[in-house]
mmCIF file of all heavy atoms in Angstrom:
data_model
loop_
_atom_site.group_PDB
_atom_site.id
_atom_site.type_symbol
_atom_site.label_atom_id
_atom_site.label_comp_id
_atom_site.label_asym_id
_atom_site.label_seq_id
_atom_site.Cartn_x
_atom_site.Cartn_y
_atom_site.Cartn_z
ATOM 1 N N ILE U 1 6.636 -5.918 -4.320
ATOM 2 C CA ILE U 1 6.838 -4.482 -4.519
ATOM 3 C C ILE U 1 6.558 -3.807 -3.178
ATOM 4 O O ILE U 1 5.482 -3.950 -2.608
ATOM 5 C CB ILE U 1 5.913 -3.922 -5.619
ATOM 6 C CG1 ILE U 1 6.283 -4.523 -6.972
ATOM 7 C CG2 ILE U 1 5.985 -2.393 -5.656
ATOM 8 C CD1 ILE U 1 5.350 -4.147 -8.106
ATOM 9 N N THR U 2 7.538 -3.083 -2.684
ATOM 10 C CA THR U 2 7.375 -2.446 -1.372
ATOM 11 C C THR U 2 7.114 -0.946 -1.570
ATOM 12 O O THR U 2 5.998 -0.561 -1.883
ATOM 13 C CB THR U 2 8.598 -2.730 -0.482
ATOM 14 O OG1 THR U 2 9.783 -2.277 -1.136
ATOM 15 C CG2 THR U 2 8.723 -4.203 -0.158
ATOM 16 N N THR U 3 8.120 -0.091 -1.424
ATOM 17 C CA THR U 3 7.910 1.358 -1.494
ATOM 18 C C THR U 3 8.317 1.967 -2.831
ATOM 19 O O THR U 3 7.969 3.108 -3.101
ATOM 20 C CB THR U 3 8.677 2.052 -0.356
ATOM 21 O OG1 THR U 3 10.063 1.735 -0.466
ATOM 22 C CG2 THR U 3 8.160 1.612 0.995
ATOM 23 N N LYS U 4 9.053 1.218 -3.648
ATOM 24 C CA LYS U 4 9.431 1.732 -4.972
ATOM 25 C C LYS U 4 8.312 1.396 -5.950
ATOM 26 O O LYS U 4 8.256 0.315 -6.516
ATOM 27 C CB LYS U 4 10.757 1.139 -5.446
ATOM 28 C CG LYS U 4 11.222 1.747 -6.770
ATOM 29 C CD LYS U 4 12.435 1.050 -7.316
ATOM 30 C CE LYS U 4 12.921 1.596 -8.630
ATOM 31 N NZ LYS U 4 11.947 1.692 -9.695
ATOM 32 N N ILE U 5 7.390 2.329 -6.117
ATOM 33 C CA ILE U 5 6.243 2.154 -6.999
ATOM 34 C C ILE U 5 6.328 3.224 -8.083
ATOM 35 O O ILE U 5 6.289 4.417 -7.791
ATOM 36 C CB ILE U 5 4.920 2.272 -6.213
ATOM 37 C CG1 ILE U 5 4.878 1.212 -5.112
ATOM 38 C CG2 ILE U 5 3.729 2.150 -7.153
ATOM 39 C CD1 ILE U 5 3.719 1.369 -4.149
ATOM 40 N N ASP U 6 6.451 2.779 -9.331
ATOM 41 C CA ASP U 6 6.601 3.720 -10.435
ATOM 42 C C ASP U 6 5.284 3.998 -11.164
ATOM 43 O O ASP U 6 5.133 5.036 -11.803
ATOM 44 C CB ASP U 6 7.657 3.197 -11.415
ATOM 45 C CG ASP U 6 9.022 3.118 -10.747
ATOM 46 O OD1 ASP U 6 9.511 4.160 -10.296
ATOM 47 O OD2 ASP U 6 9.570 2.005 -10.632
ATOM 48 N N ARG U 7 4.364 3.052 -11.100
ATOM 49 C CA ARG U 7 2.999 3.249 -11.610
ATOM 50 C C ARG U 7 2.065 2.505 -10.668
ATOM 51 O O ARG U 7 2.456 1.514 -10.075
ATOM 52 C CB ARG U 7 2.855 2.691 -13.037
ATOM 53 C CG ARG U 7 3.533 3.555 -14.101
ATOM 54 C CD ARG U 7 3.276 3.071 -15.506
ATOM 55 N NE ARG U 7 1.857 2.969 -15.807
ATOM 56 C CZ ARG U 7 1.361 2.412 -16.908
ATOM 57 N NH1 ARG U 7 2.173 1.901 -17.816
ATOM 58 N NH2 ARG U 7 0.067 2.345 -17.122
ATOM 59 N N GLU U 8 0.834 2.988 -10.542
ATOM 60 C CA GLU U 8 -0.104 2.349 -9.619
ATOM 61 C C GLU U 8 -1.540 2.603 -10.049
ATOM 62 O O GLU U 8 -1.821 3.558 -10.790
ATOM 63 C CB GLU U 8 0.099 2.864 -8.198
ATOM 64 C CG GLU U 8 -0.231 4.335 -8.043
ATOM 65 C CD GLU U 8 0.197 4.909 -6.705
ATOM 66 O OE1 GLU U 8 1.409 4.845 -6.395
ATOM 67 O OE2 GLU U 8 -0.678 5.420 -5.983
ATOM 68 N N HIS U 9 -2.431 1.769 -9.559
ATOM 69 C CA HIS U 9 -3.861 1.976 -9.758
ATOM 70 C C HIS U 9 -4.195 3.335 -9.148
ATOM 71 O O HIS U 9 -3.727 3.651 -8.047
ATOM 72 C CB HIS U 9 -4.647 0.852 -9.069
ATOM 73 C CG HIS U 9 -6.113 0.930 -9.310
ATOM 74 N ND1 HIS U 9 -6.937 1.811 -8.635
ATOM 75 C CD2 HIS U 9 -6.914 0.238 -10.157
ATOM 76 C CE1 HIS U 9 -8.179 1.657 -9.047
ATOM 77 N NE2 HIS U 9 -8.193 0.699 -9.976
ATOM 78 N N PRO U 10 -5.007 4.153 -9.823
ATOM 79 C CA PRO U 10 -5.277 5.505 -9.312
ATOM 80 C C PRO U 10 -5.926 5.543 -7.927
ATOM 81 O O PRO U 10 -5.819 6.543 -7.224
ATOM 82 C CB PRO U 10 -6.193 6.124 -10.373
ATOM 83 C CG PRO U 10 -6.608 5.023 -11.270
ATOM 84 C CD PRO U 10 -5.646 3.898 -11.103
ATOM 85 N N GLU U 11 -6.588 4.470 -7.506
ATOM 86 C CA GLU U 11 -7.241 4.447 -6.198
ATOM 87 C C GLU U 11 -6.537 3.514 -5.206
ATOM 88 O O GLU U 11 -7.085 3.197 -4.147
ATOM 89 C CB GLU U 11 -8.700 4.007 -6.372
ATOM 90 C CG GLU U 11 -9.507 4.952 -7.243
ATOM 91 C CD GLU U 11 -10.819 4.335 -7.717
ATOM 92 O OE1 GLU U 11 -11.219 3.278 -7.190
ATOM 93 O OE2 GLU U 11 -11.421 4.914 -8.619
ATOM 94 N N LEU U 12 -5.322 3.078 -5.527
ATOM 95 C CA LEU U 12 -4.600 2.099 -4.710
ATOM 96 C C LEU U 12 -4.482 2.527 -3.245
ATOM 97 O O LEU U 12 -4.839 1.793 -2.332
ATOM 98 C CB LEU U 12 -3.204 1.863 -5.296
ATOM 99 C CG LEU U 12 -2.300 0.896 -4.546
ATOM 100 C CD1 LEU U 12 -2.775 -0.541 -4.781
ATOM 101 C CD2 LEU U 12 -0.853 1.054 -5.015
ATOM 102 N N LYS U 13 -3.986 3.730 -3.033
ATOM 103 C CA LYS U 13 -3.738 4.198 -1.665
ATOM 104 C C LYS U 13 -5.047 4.557 -0.957
ATOM 105 O O LYS U 13 -5.217 4.260 0.221
ATOM 106 C CB LYS U 13 -2.770 5.376 -1.684
ATOM 107 C CG LYS U 13 -1.380 4.959 -2.127
ATOM 108 C CD LYS U 13 -0.450 6.134 -2.268
ATOM 109 C CE LYS U 13 0.897 5.649 -2.787
ATOM 110 N NZ LYS U 13 1.729 6.732 -3.266
ATOM 111 N N GLU U 14 -5.963 5.165 -1.673
ATOM 112 C CA GLU U 14 -7.243 5.552 -1.060
ATOM 113 C C GLU U 14 -8.028 4.316 -0.625
ATOM 114 O O GLU U 14 -8.642 4.308 0.445
ATOM 115 C CB GLU U 14 -8.062 6.403 -2.043
ATOM 116 C CG GLU U 14 -9.223 7.110 -1.405
ATOM 117 C CD GLU U 14 -8.844 7.947 -0.188
ATOM 118 O OE1 GLU U 14 -7.833 8.673 -0.220
ATOM 119 O OE2 GLU U 14 -9.567 7.847 0.825
ATOM 120 N N TYR U 15 -7.989 3.258 -1.418
ATOM 121 C CA TYR U 15 -8.680 2.012 -1.063
ATOM 122 C C TYR U 15 -8.063 1.410 0.206
ATOM 123 O O TYR U 15 -8.771 0.962 1.102
ATOM 124 C CB TYR U 15 -8.623 1.024 -2.228
ATOM 125 C CG TYR U 15 -9.362 -0.262 -1.976
ATOM 126 C CD1 TYR U 15 -10.752 -0.293 -1.959
ATOM 127 C CD2 TYR U 15 -8.678 -1.451 -1.753
ATOM 128 C CE1 TYR U 15 -11.439 -1.477 -1.718
ATOM 129 C CE2 TYR U 15 -9.346 -2.639 -1.519
ATOM 130 C CZ TYR U 15 -10.734 -2.639 -1.502
ATOM 131 O OH TYR U 15 -11.410 -3.814 -1.262
ATOM 132 N N ALA U 16 -6.734 1.403 0.269
ATOM 133 C CA ALA U 16 -6.045 0.881 1.460
ATOM 134 C C ALA U 16 -6.402 1.717 2.689
ATOM 135 O O ALA U 16 -6.638 1.178 3.777
ATOM 136 C CB ALA U 16 -4.537 0.875 1.234
ATOM 137 N N LYS U 17 -6.462 3.024 2.512
ATOM 138 C CA LYS U 17 -6.804 3.923 3.623
ATOM 139 C C LYS U 17 -8.237 3.677 4.096
ATOM 140 O O LYS U 17 -8.496 3.575 5.289
ATOM 141 C CB LYS U 17 -6.654 5.368 3.141
ATOM 142 C CG LYS U 17 -6.077 6.310 4.117
ATOM 143 C CD LYS U 17 -5.733 7.559 3.354
ATOM 144 C CE LYS U 17 -5.698 8.766 4.184
ATOM 145 N NZ LYS U 17 -5.383 9.956 3.441
ATOM 146 N N SER U 18 -9.168 3.532 3.146
ATOM 147 C CA SER U 18 -10.577 3.345 3.500
ATOM 148 C C SER U 18 -10.829 2.012 4.206
ATOM 149 O O SER U 18 -11.808 1.872 4.931
ATOM 150 C CB SER U 18 -11.462 3.454 2.256
ATOM 151 O OG SER U 18 -11.279 2.340 1.404
ATOM 152 N N ASN U 19 -9.937 1.033 4.013
ATOM 153 C CA ASN U 19 -10.058 -0.257 4.688
ATOM 154 C C ASN U 19 -9.264 -0.320 5.991
ATOM 155 O O ASN U 19 -9.233 -1.363 6.644
ATOM 156 C CB ASN U 19 -9.605 -1.386 3.752
ATOM 157 C CG ASN U 19 -10.673 -1.752 2.765
ATOM 158 O OD1 ASN U 19 -11.698 -2.323 3.126
ATOM 159 N ND2 ASN U 19 -10.464 -1.395 1.500
ATOM 160 N N GLY U 20 -8.589 0.761 6.335
ATOM 161 C CA GLY U 20 -7.812 0.798 7.568
ATOM 162 C C GLY U 20 -6.486 0.057 7.494
ATOM 163 O O GLY U 20 -5.876 -0.249 8.512
ATOM 164 N N TRP U 21 -6.023 -0.228 6.290
ATOM 165 C CA TRP U 21 -4.756 -0.951 6.112
ATOM 166 C C TRP U 21 -3.553 -0.015 6.155
ATOM 167 O O TRP U 21 -2.425 -0.447 6.358
ATOM 168 C CB TRP U 21 -4.746 -1.697 4.784
ATOM 169 C CG TRP U 21 -5.858 -2.671 4.579
ATOM 170 C CD1 TRP U 21 -6.628 -3.269 5.538
ATOM 171 C CD2 TRP U 21 -6.335 -3.160 3.333
ATOM 172 N NE1 TRP U 21 -7.551 -4.099 4.962
ATOM 173 C CE2 TRP U 21 -7.389 -4.054 3.599
ATOM 174 C CE3 TRP U 21 -5.985 -2.936 2.006
ATOM 175 C CZ2 TRP U 21 -8.092 -4.718 2.608
ATOM 176 C CZ3 TRP U 21 -6.675 -3.589 1.006
ATOM 177 C CH2 TRP U 21 -7.717 -4.477 1.309
ATOM 178 N N TRP U 22 -3.779 1.280 5.872
ATOM 179 C CA TRP U 22 -2.701 2.278 5.798
ATOM 180 C C TRP U 22 -3.235 3.576 6.372
ATOM 181 O O TRP U 22 -4.353 3.984 6.053
ATOM 182 C CB TRP U 22 -2.272 2.419 4.341
ATOM 183 C CG TRP U 22 -1.206 3.429 4.066
ATOM 184 C CD1 TRP U 22 0.064 3.434 4.576
ATOM 185 C CD2 TRP U 22 -1.301 4.565 3.205
ATOM 186 N NE1 TRP U 22 0.770 4.517 4.089
ATOM 187 C CE2 TRP U 22 -0.051 5.219 3.236
ATOM 188 C CE3 TRP U 22 -2.301 5.099 2.418
ATOM 189 C CZ2 TRP U 22 0.207 6.374 2.512
ATOM 190 C CZ3 TRP U 22 -2.048 6.247 1.685
ATOM 191 C CH2 TRP U 22 -0.801 6.868 1.731
ATOM 192 N N ASP U 23 -2.438 4.216 7.198
ATOM 193 C CA ASP U 23 -2.920 5.436 7.860
ATOM 194 C C ASP U 23 -2.742 6.699 7.019
ATOM 195 O O ASP U 23 -3.210 7.770 7.399
ATOM 196 C CB ASP U 23 -2.255 5.605 9.227
ATOM 197 C CG ASP U 23 -0.741 5.779 9.155
ATOM 198 O OD1 ASP U 23 -0.186 5.965 8.042
ATOM 199 O OD2 ASP U 23 -0.101 5.708 10.217
ATOM 200 N N GLY U 24 -2.063 6.610 5.904
ATOM 201 C CA GLY U 24 -1.853 7.781 5.057
ATOM 202 C C GLY U 24 -0.702 8.651 5.511
ATOM 203 O O GLY U 24 -0.362 9.634 4.860
ATOM 204 N N LYS U 25 -0.071 8.302 6.617
ATOM 205 C CA LYS U 25 1.026 9.099 7.150
ATOM 206 C C LYS U 25 2.379 8.449 6.889
ATOM 207 O O LYS U 25 3.299 9.099 6.405
ATOM 208 C CB LYS U 25 0.831 9.331 8.653
ATOM 209 C CG LYS U 25 -0.393 10.155 8.956
ATOM 210 C CD LYS U 25 -0.638 10.259 10.436
ATOM 211 C CE LYS U 25 -1.963 10.982 10.657
ATOM 212 N NZ LYS U 25 -2.626 10.613 11.860
ATOM 213 N N LYS U 26 2.491 7.179 7.232
ATOM 214 C CA LYS U 26 3.782 6.518 7.007
ATOM 215 C C LYS U 26 3.938 6.201 5.516
ATOM 216 O O LYS U 26 2.967 6.219 4.754
ATOM 217 C CB LYS U 26 3.918 5.261 7.864
ATOM 218 C CG LYS U 26 2.946 4.164 7.537
ATOM 219 C CD LYS U 26 3.169 2.972 8.460
ATOM 220 C CE LYS U 26 2.118 1.911 8.147
ATOM 221 N NZ LYS U 26 2.167 0.779 8.990
ATOM 222 N N GLU U 27 5.174 5.923 5.121
ATOM 223 C CA GLU U 27 5.454 5.628 3.713
ATOM 224 C C GLU U 27 4.622 4.429 3.260
ATOM 225 O O GLU U 27 4.501 3.439 3.972
ATOM 226 C CB GLU U 27 6.952 5.333 3.534
ATOM 227 C CG GLU U 27 7.358 5.140 2.098
ATOM 228 C CD GLU U 27 8.866 4.974 1.918
ATOM 229 O OE1 GLU U 27 9.531 4.492 2.862
ATOM 230 O OE2 GLU U 27 9.362 5.332 0.855
ATOM 231 N N PHE U 28 4.043 4.534 2.075
ATOM 232 C CA PHE U 28 3.187 3.464 1.557
ATOM 233 C C PHE U 28 4.042 2.302 1.072
ATOM 234 O O PHE U 28 4.955 2.482 0.275
ATOM 235 C CB PHE U 28 2.306 3.982 0.415
ATOM 236 C CG PHE U 28 1.347 2.954 -0.094
ATOM 237 C CD1 PHE U 28 0.169 2.698 0.588
ATOM 238 C CD2 PHE U 28 1.627 2.239 -1.242
ATOM 239 C CE1 PHE U 28 -0.726 1.741 0.132
ATOM 240 C CE2 PHE U 28 0.739 1.278 -1.709
ATOM 241 C CZ PHE U 28 -0.444 1.028 -1.021
ATOM 242 N N ASP U 29 3.737 1.104 1.542
ATOM 243 C CA ASP U 29 4.435 -0.129 1.179
ATOM 244 C C ASP U 29 3.375 -1.085 0.629
ATOM 245 O O ASP U 29 2.548 -1.593 1.381
ATOM 246 C CB ASP U 29 5.109 -0.707 2.427
ATOM 247 C CG ASP U 29 5.880 -1.995 2.176
ATOM 248 O OD1 ASP U 29 5.414 -2.844 1.384
ATOM 249 O OD2 ASP U 29 6.932 -2.176 2.810
ATOM 250 N N PHE U 30 3.390 -1.303 -0.678
ATOM 251 C CA PHE U 30 2.350 -2.111 -1.326
ATOM 252 C C PHE U 30 2.273 -3.519 -0.751
ATOM 253 O O PHE U 30 1.198 -3.984 -0.378
ATOM 254 C CB PHE U 30 2.591 -2.157 -2.842
ATOM 255 C CG PHE U 30 1.597 -3.010 -3.587
ATOM 256 C CD1 PHE U 30 0.255 -2.643 -3.666
ATOM 257 C CD2 PHE U 30 1.993 -4.177 -4.216
ATOM 258 C CE1 PHE U 30 -0.663 -3.428 -4.348
ATOM 259 C CE2 PHE U 30 1.083 -4.968 -4.908
ATOM 260 C CZ PHE U 30 -0.254 -4.587 -4.971
ATOM 261 N N ALA U 31 3.402 -4.226 -0.683
ATOM 262 C CA ALA U 31 3.397 -5.609 -0.192
ATOM 263 C C ALA U 31 2.917 -5.677 1.248
ATOM 264 O O ALA U 31 2.120 -6.545 1.605
ATOM 265 C CB ALA U 31 4.778 -6.240 -0.335
ATOM 266 N N ALA U 32 3.376 -4.777 2.090
ATOM 267 C CA ALA U 32 2.980 -4.793 3.498
ATOM 268 C C ALA U 32 1.504 -4.436 3.664
ATOM 269 O O ALA U 32 0.829 -4.977 4.537
ATOM 270 C CB ALA U 32 3.848 -3.826 4.297
ATOM 271 N N THR U 33 1.002 -3.555 2.821
ATOM 272 C CA THR U 33 -0.377 -3.094 2.939
ATOM 273 C C THR U 33 -1.379 -4.092 2.371
ATOM 274 O O THR U 33 -2.438 -4.313 2.947
ATOM 275 C CB THR U 33 -0.539 -1.736 2.220
ATOM 276 O OG1 THR U 33 0.407 -0.820 2.773
ATOM 277 C CG2 THR U 33 -1.936 -1.180 2.376
ATOM 278 N N TYR U 34 -1.036 -4.722 1.262
ATOM 279 C CA TYR U 34 -1.981 -5.595 0.558
ATOM 280 C C TYR U 34 -1.750 -7.083 0.807
ATOM 281 O O TYR U 34 -2.365 -7.916 0.153
ATOM 282 C CB TYR U 34 -1.967 -5.293 -0.942
ATOM 283 C CG TYR U 34 -2.849 -4.105 -1.294
ATOM 284 C CD1 TYR U 34 -2.401 -2.801 -1.149
ATOM 285 C CD2 TYR U 34 -4.147 -4.302 -1.761
ATOM 286 C CE1 TYR U 34 -3.210 -1.721 -1.461
ATOM 287 C CE2 TYR U 34 -4.959 -3.237 -2.081
ATOM 288 C CZ TYR U 34 -4.493 -1.937 -1.928
ATOM 289 O OH TYR U 34 -5.313 -0.874 -2.232
ATOM 290 N N SER U 35 -0.859 -7.442 1.710
ATOM 291 C CA SER U 35 -0.649 -8.865 2.010
ATOM 292 C C SER U 35 -0.298 -9.031 3.480
ATOM 293 O O SER U 35 -0.132 -8.065 4.212
ATOM 294 C CB SER U 35 0.460 -9.454 1.138
ATOM 295 O OG SER U 35 1.727 -8.958 1.509
ATOM 296 N N TYR U 36 -0.147 -10.282 3.861
ATOM 297 C CA TYR U 36 0.199 -10.597 5.246
ATOM 298 C C TYR U 36 1.694 -10.825 5.427
ATOM 299 O O TYR U 36 2.143 -11.167 6.498
ATOM 300 C CB TYR U 36 -0.545 -11.854 5.700
ATOM 301 C CG TYR U 36 -2.032 -11.679 5.661
ATOM 302 C CD1 TYR U 36 -2.790 -12.278 4.676
ATOM 303 C CD2 TYR U 36 -2.670 -10.891 6.610
ATOM 304 C CE1 TYR U 36 -4.166 -12.109 4.634
ATOM 305 C CE2 TYR U 36 -4.042 -10.705 6.581
ATOM 306 C CZ TYR U 36 -4.788 -11.324 5.589
ATOM 307 O OH TYR U 36 -6.136 -11.143 5.546
ATOM 308 N N VAL U 37 2.465 -10.659 4.378
ATOM 309 C CA VAL U 37 3.901 -10.936 4.432
ATOM 310 C C VAL U 37 4.623 -9.790 5.130
ATOM 311 O O VAL U 37 4.364 -8.627 4.849
ATOM 312 C CB VAL U 37 4.475 -11.120 3.000
ATOM 313 C CG1 VAL U 37 5.968 -11.289 3.035
ATOM 314 C CG2 VAL U 37 3.819 -12.305 2.319
ATOM 315 N N ASN U 38 5.524 -10.117 6.020
ATOM 316 C CA ASN U 38 6.373 -9.126 6.666
ATOM 317 C C ASN U 38 7.482 -8.787 5.662
ATOM 318 O O ASN U 38 8.391 -9.567 5.443
ATOM 319 C CB ASN U 38 6.965 -9.702 7.960
ATOM 320 C CG ASN U 38 7.916 -8.742 8.628
ATOM 321 O OD1 ASN U 38 8.401 -7.780 8.032
ATOM 322 N ND2 ASN U 38 8.201 -9.015 9.887
ATOM 323 N N THR U 39 7.391 -7.622 5.043
ATOM 324 C CA THR U 39 8.328 -7.279 3.971
ATOM 325 C C THR U 39 9.765 -7.151 4.451
ATOM 326 O O THR U 39 10.690 -7.297 3.670
ATOM 327 C CB THR U 39 7.906 -5.976 3.257
ATOM 328 O OG1 THR U 39 7.825 -4.938 4.225
ATOM 329 C CG2 THR U 39 6.572 -6.150 2.571
ATOM 330 N N ALA U 40 9.975 -6.905 5.738
ATOM 331 C CA ALA U 40 11.338 -6.789 6.261
ATOM 332 C C ALA U 40 12.069 -8.131 6.211
ATOM 333 O O ALA U 40 13.291 -8.178 6.169
ATOM 334 C CB ALA U 40 11.318 -6.260 7.688
ATOM 335 N N THR U 41 11.328 -9.248 6.208
ATOM 336 C CA THR U 41 11.978 -10.561 6.213
ATOM 337 C C THR U 41 11.876 -11.286 4.868
ATOM 338 O O THR U 41 12.317 -12.418 4.754
ATOM 339 C CB THR U 41 11.374 -11.464 7.306
ATOM 340 O OG1 THR U 41 9.986 -11.650 7.023
ATOM 341 C CG2 THR U 41 11.557 -10.871 8.686
#
């Protein structure tokens, strides 16, 4: 799951932000943020 997220954990993005995985500015990509997989490939 990349950027098309229809439901999510209520703290999903805040947790990623607090760990420095996502800056809160660019579009949120679940797979890219929560794994090591390059979602483009």
Side-chain angles (χ1 to χ4, degrees):
I1 294 174
T2 57
T3 58
K4 185 187 179 307
I5 301 171
D6 296 300
R7 286 185 56 189
E8 65 190 59
H9 184 282
E11 298 165 13
L12 178 74
K13 292 175 183 165
E14 194 53 44
Y15 183 72
K17 219 167 155 181
S18 70
N19 280 290
W21 303 339
W22 178 60
D23 63 10
K25 295 175 186 152
K26 65 180 177 183
E27 185 175 28
F28 184 80
D29 180 322
F30 178 67
T33 304
Y34 277 82
S35 70
Y36 298 106
V37 175
N38 177 343
T39 57
T41 61

